[in-house]
Amino acid sequence: NCDTCVEGNTNLDACESFLYNVPFHVGANLISFYALPLDNTLSNMLISNDNDFLYAISGLTNSSINLGNNMWEGSLTEISKTEGYWFKTINAMTLDIPDVWDTNDSIEYNLSFGSNLVSLPTNLSFSIEDIIPDDLELYFEAIIGESLIAVRLEDGSWIGSLSMLQGGKGYYFILNESIDFIYNINRGSSKVSEQNNFSAEYTQSSQQAFYILDNDLLNLNLGDVVYAFNNDVIVGKRIVNSRWIDVPIMGYDETLRTSGYCNENDFPTFKVKKQSGEIVNLYGNVSSFKSQDISFVELSLNEEINLLPSSTNI
């Protein structure tokens, strides 16, 4: 996996394998693998899923479902070291994969215009500015994680809740041009902090969009919480901690736990829970839900203020 020859006359000892533990929360988990066994088929890698908690896996263009007794059917038959995946589970669990080896952290990715679902081939975490080569940043429009997003503005700055890319997670790279890409993984600049985006108030869905609010228009206090609803069902939330409030909106992904979440052409609504406990509505016209959409939305605390246009998509 590391593409380095060992033994023979190389004076290098054979690499030792190890046990890879992958934790999952309930719902959809956006992950990738920085280490793989020699046999990377689903039937081998998921052998510890003996309780059948894992019931579906999907990549960007393929998927498989668990028929029971850890028997998988579909176009997704093996795990790639370059791709990210949605793993869906009915219960919190840890997947144990024995006899794995680290992958090469200098993998070249052939990325296409639009959406790419990719891996991060390291067990470390890096800031976006450190890990994306400077000469390639201009091709990025956004990076999407699990309920997290970073959007690159025209001036080259990044905004959003996603500031670190974490080994073992999967990410959507949204590009404005096809490129060949290699992560700038400098182990000296790795970070130990991790971003926790888990919320017990909604289930993570594999169908998600982001609505980005400008707090310069709302003047909310740091620590206030913006909630998104589809009718009376909570489908997302974000704590206010900067000017830009990127609220993740969950969509229905044909699972029971996402029943009532947004379908395409549904219009989410927004409320704010102030630190005092007061609940206030946000007003304005927003674009309809579409998975993977990113919308800049202008909302107001005053129902009589008409903000047009109220949203733009990228």
Side-chain angles (χ1 to χ4, degrees):
N1 284 345
C2 65
D3 296 333
T4 301
C5 294
V6 296
E7 294 193 313
N9 59 1
T10 64
N11 295 319
L12 297 172
D13 293 332
C15 306
E16 291 188 9
S17 65
F18 60 94
L19 177 66
Y20 191 176
N21 307 116
V22 186
F24 294 106
H25 58 72
V26 174
N29 298 255
L30 185 54
I31 69 167
S32 65
F33 294 85
Y34 56 80
L36 290 171
L38 295 179
D39 180 357
N40 62 337
T41 60
L42 292 187
S43 58
N44 179 62
M45 290 190 62
L46 306 183
I47 195 169
S48 70
N49 182 40
D50 51 8
N51 48 25
D52 285 327
F53 286 164
L54 278 170
Y55 63 89
I57 303 172
S58 60
L60 189 64
T61 59
N62 52 8
S63 63
S64 283
I65 60 171
N66 187 354
L67 300 179
N69 296 318
N70 210 32
M71 296 185 64
W72 294 84
E73 181 176 280
S75 57
L76 179 60
T77 59
E78 61 184 29
I79 297 298
S80 166
K81 61 185 178 182
T82 61
E83 297 180 14
Y85 302 92
W86 286 104
F87 274 59
K88 299 180 182 180
T89 175
I90 61 173
N91 206 345
M93 60 167 290
T94 298
L95 184 68
D96 298 321
I97 310 172
D99 294 325
V100 302
W101 286 265
D102 286 328
T103 59
N104 186 347
D105 59 15
S106 297
I107 300 169
E108 183 174 77
Y109 295 77
N110 305 119
L111 305 180
S112 60
F113 168 82
S115 184
N116 302 263
L117 181 50
V118 302
S119 65
L120 179 55
T122 173
N123 63 344
L124 303 174
S125 300
F126 296 83
S127 70
I128 290 175
E129 290 83 357
D130 286 342
I131 204 170
I132 305 297
D134 293 341
D135 60 336
L136 296 180
E137 272 198 33
L138 73 162
Y139 301 113
F140 281 74
E141 293 192 352
I143 301 175
I144 297 175
E146 189 181 299
S147 283
L148 299 170
I149 190 172
V151 177
R152 189 174 185 272
L153 301 180
E154 290 184 358
D155 64 4
S157 62
W158 291 88
I159 64 168
S161 53
L162 179 63
S163 60
M164 303 282 295
L165 299 189
Q166 181 181 334
K169 300 295 185 181
Y171 296 97
Y172 289 92
F173 285 0
I174 313 299
L175 304 182
N176 55 36
E177 188 173 314
S178 297
I179 59 173
D180 294 328
F181 174 86
I182 298 176
Y183 284 105
N184 181 31
I185 294 181
N186 179 348
R187 294 187 181 276
S189 65
S190 64
K191 315 292 184 182
V192 296
S193 61
E194 297 181 356
Q195 292 168 285
N196 180 13
N197 54 296
F198 178 76
S199 173
E201 293 175 272
Y202 64 86
T203 298
Q204 176 68 48
S205 169
S206 59
Q207 304 296 309
Q208 58 177 0
F210 291 85
Y211 289 65
I212 302 177
L213 285 55
D214 186 351
N215 197 31
D216 280 359
L217 301 174
L218 295 169
N219 293 316
L220 301 177
N221 294 321
L222 299 183
D224 290 347
V225 183
V226 177
Y227 283 90
F229 290 83
N230 187 44
N231 297 317
D232 59 350
V233 178
I234 295 176
V235 293
K237 68 176 252 189
R238 182 71 78 217
I239 299 174
V240 178
N241 60 13
S242 67
R243 172 186 173 182
W244 300 103
I245 309 167
D246 56 334
V247 185
I249 307 294
M250 298 297 112
Y252 176 60
D253 65 1
E254 300 182 353
T255 61
L256 183 61
R257 287 184 177 272
T258 61
S259 179
Y261 288 12
C262 290
N263 286 300
E264 205 162 302
N265 298 322
D266 283 341
F267 292 86
T269 57
F270 297 87
K271 298 178 185 288
V272 177
K273 182 177 182 180
K274 309 287 286 184
Q275 294 184 76
S276 63
E278 180 188 7
I279 306 294
V280 295
N281 294 320
L282 296 181
Y283 300 97
N285 297 318
V286 301
S287 55
S288 61
F289 174 86
K290 183 178 180 182
S291 185
Q292 296 300 112
D293 256 14
I294 305 166
S295 302
F296 282 80
V297 182
E298 294 183 359
L299 297 180
S300 169
L301 293 167
N302 189 338
E303 186 175 10
E304 295 180 357
I305 295 179
N306 188 19
L307 297 168
L308 293 174
S310 63
S311 66
T312 56
N313 293 344
I314 65 171

PDB file of all heavy atoms in Angstrom, residues 280-291:
ATOM      1  N   VAL A 280     -36.882  32.937  18.062  1.00  0.00           N
ATOM      2  CA  VAL A 280     -37.333  33.948  17.105  1.00  0.00           C
ATOM      3  C   VAL A 280     -37.258  33.366  15.700  1.00  0.00           C
ATOM      4  O   VAL A 280     -36.405  32.520  15.401  1.00  0.00           O
ATOM      5  CB  VAL A 280     -36.491  35.236  17.188  1.00  0.00           C
ATOM      6  CG1 VAL A 280     -36.666  35.909  18.531  1.00  0.00           C
ATOM      7  CG2 VAL A 280     -35.019  34.950  16.919  1.00  0.00           C
ATOM      8  N   ASN A 281     -38.166  33.811  14.854  1.00  0.00           N
ATOM      9  CA  ASN A 281     -38.198  33.351  13.465  1.00  0.00           C
ATOM     10  C   ASN A 281     -37.272  34.186  12.598  1.00  0.00           C
ATOM     11  O   ASN A 281     -37.040  35.375  12.868  1.00  0.00           O
ATOM     12  CB  ASN A 281     -39.626  33.446  12.909  1.00  0.00           C
ATOM     13  CG  ASN A 281     -40.578  32.489  13.592  1.00  0.00           C
ATOM     14  OD1 ASN A 281     -40.223  31.350  13.880  1.00  0.00           O
ATOM     15  ND2 ASN A 281     -41.785  32.946  13.857  1.00  0.00           N
ATOM     16  N   LEU A 282     -36.771  33.569  11.533  1.00  0.00           N
ATOM     17  CA  LEU A 282     -36.030  34.277  10.502  1.00  0.00           C
ATOM     18  C   LEU A 282     -36.888  34.310   9.241  1.00  0.00           C
ATOM     19  O   LEU A 282     -37.538  33.318   8.898  1.00  0.00           O
ATOM     20  CB  LEU A 282     -34.689  33.601  10.214  1.00  0.00           C
ATOM     21  CG  LEU A 282     -33.674  33.583  11.357  1.00  0.00           C
ATOM     22  CD1 LEU A 282     -32.377  32.910  10.927  1.00  0.00           C
ATOM     23  CD2 LEU A 282     -33.400  34.989  11.872  1.00  0.00           C
ATOM     24  N   TYR A 283     -36.865  35.454   8.550  1.00  0.00           N
ATOM     25  CA  TYR A 283     -37.750  35.661   7.408  1.00  0.00           C
ATOM     26  C   TYR A 283     -36.938  35.918   6.142  1.00  0.00           C
ATOM     27  O   TYR A 283     -35.847  36.476   6.173  1.00  0.00           O
ATOM     28  CB  TYR A 283     -38.686  36.835   7.678  1.00  0.00           C
ATOM     29  CG  TYR A 283     -39.561  36.644   8.900  1.00  0.00           C
ATOM     30  CD1 TYR A 283     -39.193  37.190  10.120  1.00  0.00           C
ATOM     31  CD2 TYR A 283     -40.741  35.914   8.823  1.00  0.00           C
ATOM     32  CE1 TYR A 283     -39.983  37.015  11.242  1.00  0.00           C
ATOM     33  CE2 TYR A 283     -41.539  35.733   9.936  1.00  0.00           C
ATOM     34  CZ  TYR A 283     -41.161  36.289  11.145  1.00  0.00           C
ATOM     35  OH  TYR A 283     -41.946  36.110  12.256  1.00  0.00           O
ATOM     36  N   GLY A 284     -37.530  35.515   5.022  1.00  0.00           N
ATOM     37  CA  GLY A 284     -36.919  35.739   3.725  1.00  0.00           C
ATOM     38  C   GLY A 284     -37.184  34.556   2.814  1.00  0.00           C
ATOM     39  O   GLY A 284     -37.516  33.463   3.276  1.00  0.00           O
ATOM     40  N   ASN A 285     -37.064  34.775   1.535  1.00  0.00           N
ATOM     41  CA  ASN A 285     -37.249  33.696   0.566  1.00  0.00           C
ATOM     42  C   ASN A 285     -35.946  32.930   0.392  1.00  0.00           C
ATOM     43  O   ASN A 285     -34.887  33.527   0.219  1.00  0.00           O
ATOM     44  CB  ASN A 285     -37.695  34.265  -0.787  1.00  0.00           C
ATOM     45  CG  ASN A 285     -39.046  34.952  -0.704  1.00  0.00           C
ATOM     46  OD1 ASN A 285     -39.957  34.449  -0.049  1.00  0.00           O
ATOM     47  ND2 ASN A 285     -39.171  36.098  -1.351  1.00  0.00           N
ATOM     48  N   VAL A 286     -36.038  31.611   0.460  1.00  0.00           N
ATOM     49  CA  VAL A 286     -34.850  30.772   0.293  1.00  0.00           C
ATOM     50  C   VAL A 286     -35.072  29.836  -0.889  1.00  0.00           C
ATOM     51  O   VAL A 286     -36.203  29.540  -1.276  1.00  0.00           O
ATOM     52  CB  VAL A 286     -34.541  29.952   1.566  1.00  0.00           C
ATOM     53  CG1 VAL A 286     -34.311  30.869   2.759  1.00  0.00           C
ATOM     54  CG2 VAL A 286     -35.652  28.953   1.869  1.00  0.00           C
ATOM     55  N   SER A 287     -33.983  29.357  -1.440  1.00  0.00           N
ATOM     56  CA  SER A 287     -34.074  28.407  -2.545  1.00  0.00           C
ATOM     57  C   SER A 287     -34.500  27.043  -2.016  1.00  0.00           C
ATOM     58  O   SER A 287     -34.314  26.718  -0.838  1.00  0.00           O
ATOM     59  CB  SER A 287     -32.733  28.299  -3.266  1.00  0.00           C
ATOM     60  OG  SER A 287     -31.698  27.980  -2.360  1.00  0.00           O
ATOM     61  N   SER A 288     -35.079  26.240  -2.882  1.00  0.00           N
ATOM     62  CA  SER A 288     -35.543  24.912  -2.485  1.00  0.00           C
ATOM     63  C   SER A 288     -34.358  23.981  -2.252  1.00  0.00           C
ATOM     64  O   SER A 288     -33.258  24.195  -2.765  1.00  0.00           O
ATOM     65  CB  SER A 288     -36.469  24.325  -3.552  1.00  0.00           C
ATOM     66  OG  SER A 288     -35.785  24.183  -4.785  1.00  0.00           O
ATOM     67  N   PHE A 289     -34.608  22.942  -1.475  1.00  0.00           N
ATOM     68  CA  PHE A 289     -33.558  21.987  -1.120  1.00  0.00           C
ATOM     69  C   PHE A 289     -33.131  21.164  -2.331  1.00  0.00           C
ATOM     70  O   PHE A 289     -33.960  20.685  -3.111  1.00  0.00           O
ATOM     71  CB  PHE A 289     -34.060  21.041  -0.023  1.00  0.00           C
ATOM     72  CG  PHE A 289     -33.085  19.940   0.309  1.00  0.00           C
ATOM     73  CD1 PHE A 289     -32.076  20.135   1.229  1.00  0.00           C
ATOM     74  CD2 PHE A 289     -33.167  18.697  -0.325  1.00  0.00           C
ATOM     75  CE1 PHE A 289     -31.167  19.126   1.534  1.00  0.00           C
ATOM     76  CE2 PHE A 289     -32.273  17.682  -0.025  1.00  0.00           C
ATOM     77  CZ  PHE A 289     -31.278  17.898   0.903  1.00  0.00           C
ATOM     78  N   LYS A 290     -31.837  20.995  -2.476  1.00  0.00           N
ATOM     79  CA  LYS A 290     -31.258  20.068  -3.437  1.00  0.00           C
ATOM     80  C   LYS A 290     -29.946  19.576  -2.865  1.00  0.00           C
ATOM     81  O   LYS A 290     -29.094  20.374  -2.480  1.00  0.00           O
ATOM     82  CB  LYS A 290     -31.038  20.735  -4.801  1.00  0.00           C
ATOM     83  CG  LYS A 290     -30.501  19.769  -5.855  1.00  0.00           C
ATOM     84  CD  LYS A 290     -30.331  20.452  -7.200  1.00  0.00           C
ATOM     85  CE  LYS A 290     -29.787  19.469  -8.238  1.00  0.00           C
ATOM     86  NZ  LYS A 290     -29.570  20.140  -9.556  1.00  0.00           N
ATOM     87  N   SER A 291     -29.783  18.271  -2.776  1.00  0.00           N
ATOM     88  CA  SER A 291     -28.592  17.707  -2.150  1.00  0.00           C
ATOM     89  C   SER A 291     -27.328  18.221  -2.822  1.00  0.00           C
ATOM     90  O   SER A 291     -27.244  18.306  -4.041  1.00  0.00           O
ATOM     91  CB  SER A 291     -28.630  16.179  -2.225  1.00  0.00           C
ATOM     92  OG  SER A 291     -27.539  15.619  -1.514  1.00  0.00           O
TER      93      SER A 291
END
